[in-house]
Amino acid sequence: MTTSHARDVLAQPVRTDADVLARVGAVISEEARRQRTLWLFFLNADGFQSDVVVPIDGIPESPGPEDAGSVCYIISEALAGTTDGSAIITLGRPGPAEPGDGDLAWLRALQRGTATRQAPIRMLCLATPSGVRELGPVSAGG
């Protein structure tokens, strides 16, 4: 993303679920979605995105016992002391847009990690070369 395009994107708040999906699609290129990467986006209380996006490359197809908990710990620490900030977690991977078994394992692990670490998550997303969608609800209860 060019600097001027990045400024334009960051100037728009992320308020609705459609805004979240559009933002993830604008920031993570189709090419980048061909890699197994977990992306962390940070929003302030007004929905403005931080200019820091954290890609975590080389994630396994299914999470290990501490993988999602560690990610949620990082988020809770990064947002400690902020008022009503939140994060968007996006699982990027090659393949079809429909969630597979590994994606659902990540969803369940992230739901547990979010609850355990009390990490303020705006949305859990799945980004594939064919598009961006919500992976599932933030909490296991729906």
Side-chain angles (χ1 to χ4, degrees):
M1 191 166 20
T2 65
T3 302
S4 62
H5 178 66
R7 267 194 304 270
D8 292 342
V9 168
L10 294 175
Q12 300 300 314
V14 175
R15 294 201 172 111
T16 67
D17 290 352
D19 291 344
V20 170
L21 298 175
R23 179 60 53 88
V24 170
V27 173
I28 306 173
S29 71
E30 183 179 330
E31 183 62 32
R33 292 184 231 148
R34 296 180 190 283
Q35 308 301 317
R36 292 200 60 78
T37 303
L38 205 61
W39 298 83
L40 308 180
F41 295 72
F42 296 94
L43 305 174
N44 71 15
D46 296 321
F48 288 97
Q49 180 189 334
S50 165
D51 57 357
V52 175
V53 176
V54 180
I56 303 169
D57 294 326
I59 61 165
E61 187 171 330
S62 291
E66 296 299 318
D67 292 334
S70 296
V71 168
C72 292
Y73 174 77
I74 290 167
I75 291 168
S76 64
E77 289 296 306
L79 294 173
T82 65
T83 305
D84 296 327
S86 63
I88 301 165
I89 302 175
T90 301
L91 173 63
R93 60 141 177 87
E98 288 302 313
D101 292 342
D103 304 326
L104 297 176
W106 270 104
L107 172 62
R108 289 186 299 274
L110 289 167
Q111 288 170 332
R112 284 190 305 273
T114 297
T116 300
R117 300 292 183 179
Q118 298 181 351
I121 304 302
R122 172 65 179 81
M123 185 183 283
L124 301 171
C125 301
L126 175 64
T128 67
S130 58
V132 178
R133 62 177 290 160
E134 184 175 7
L135 179 57
V138 172
S139 66

